[in-house]
Amino acid sequence: MTMKNKSLKIGVALSGGGIRGLAHIGVLKALINNGIHVDYISGTSAGAIVAGLFACGYTPHQMEELARNIKSADLIDLKITVSDLFKYGIQSLLGTQTRFWSAIPNGIVKGDKIEKYFRSLWSDRSFQETIIPLAVTAVDIHTADTIFFLTKQKKKRAILNAKYIHNASLTEGIRASISIPGVFHPKKYQEMALVDGAVKNNLPTDILAYMGADVIIGVDLGYAGQSVYDLHSVGEILMQCIDIMGREVTLLKGEQYADVIIRPNLVDINFRDTKQAMLAIKRGSECTVNQISNIFEICNDRLRSM
């Protein structure tokens, strides 16, 4: 059975989730293998990267190969060093006017390297040049507005406190979407300072409704409410806090527009182990396969009501 009826538009929203975003590759693989055509795709943070690749024509197999060969040294350019931290600490102890935390830059990773990597994947392609219409989310910390970078579509419905940008490059938009507060330096775009879209919209299903999707599939890789005790650094605590905030937003907003939500079980995977990390792709695929009959049923019901 396949679902290629062009009168029915299917949208897929990919959530943030850090390295767990590898599971999105497995989800897309399962959808394609079961004949489900994706007409629109959206993503936040890690989901924005996978969505961007897919919108540009990368296959799940090609994305898996990219994931296998990536090296963190090619992506991370620290803006702050140990000596910098020591300097700021001494200044704080000596009673200078600037407090320790205020003296630290607004992100420990510059983001130049990852932008260079993104450009190597899709060159200077803009959101108007994708094969599949694409939307990714960010947040302007100056105004608290949700910023949607997206392929221009005929407006379907308004989204409160949101701005739409159509003429940006994929590199600019996706770099903004992955800018985890405190980790990445905010992405400067026009007069905005943009941070991770997960701050307000970790599962961007609403933008798919705005773009015209008839059936919306959400892939939620966020925190699922389980107890987490293995937190040993400031970074791990910060990520857990963002995950907790993202869960609340997803429950209130992301599920409102989704017809189907896919939640791969990734709790037991140790992402510090590359081989185990690849297991996330398999889990994403398996979880999606279990939802295929449900997706077809919803699509057929929607077709009959059109």
Side-chain angles (χ1 to χ4, degrees), residues 118-150:
F118 286 163
R119 283 192 293 271
S120 75
L121 297 175
W122 44 64
S123 188
D124 292 321
R125 188 178 304 199
S126 75
F127 280 82
Q128 303 312 310
E129 299 172 308
T130 57
I131 297 170
I132 298 171
L134 167 69
V136 303
T137 65
V139 175
D140 181 4
I141 57 175
H142 293 319
T143 64
D145 286 331
T146 300
I147 307 299
F148 290 107
F149 292 88
L150 74 161

Side-chain angles (χ1 to χ4, degrees), residues 1 3 20 22-23 26 49 93 111 114 135 140 145 147 159 173 189 208 220 247 258:
M1 179 184 289
M3 183 60 64
R20 287 170 292 181
L22 291 170
I49 299 174
L93 289 172
I114 202 163
D140 181 4
D145 286 331
I147 307 299
I159 298 175
Y189 185 82
L208 294 175
D220 181 14
R247 177 174 183 251

Side-chain angles (χ1 to χ4, degrees), residues 180-298:
I180 301 168
V183 177
F184 279 95
H185 185 78
K187 174 64 180 175
K188 298 292 184 181
Y189 185 82
Q190 296 176 357
E191 296 181 354
M192 298 178 286
L194 303 176
V195 297
D196 196 325
V199 171
K200 285 188 66 180
N201 197 343
N202 195 43
L203 184 61
T205 54
D206 52 354
I207 193 62
L208 294 175
Y210 173 96
M211 295 170 77
D214 300 303
V215 174
I216 296 174
I217 301 168
V219 186
D220 181 14
L221 306 183
Y223 175 63
Q226 69 277 9
S227 298
V228 178
Y229 298 103
D230 189 24
L231 301 173
H232 304 295
S233 68
V234 171
E236 289 173 342
I237 292 172
L238 176 62
M239 290 301 297
Q240 176 67 358
C241 289
I242 292 173
D243 277 350
I244 291 169
M245 290 188 293
R247 177 174 183 251
E248 296 302 309
V249 173
T250 297
L251 291 173
L252 292 171
K253 183 187 292 186
E255 295 189 5
Q256 179 181 351
Y257 294 92
D259 296 289
V260 179
I261 295 186
I262 297 169
R263 289 191 173 95
N265 182 10
L266 307 172
V267 174
D268 62 323
I269 295 179
N270 177 8
F271 286 96
R272 296 183 182 91
D273 183 329
T274 303
K275 291 182 179 179
Q276 279 208 1
M278 291 298 107
L279 180 60
I281 298 175
K282 182 180 178 182
R283 294 278 181 87
S285 180
E286 291 173 343
C287 187
T288 305
V289 168
N290 291 335
Q291 289 269 24
I292 291 297
S293 61
N294 185 33
I295 294 171
F296 277 124
E297 183 178 349
I298 290 170

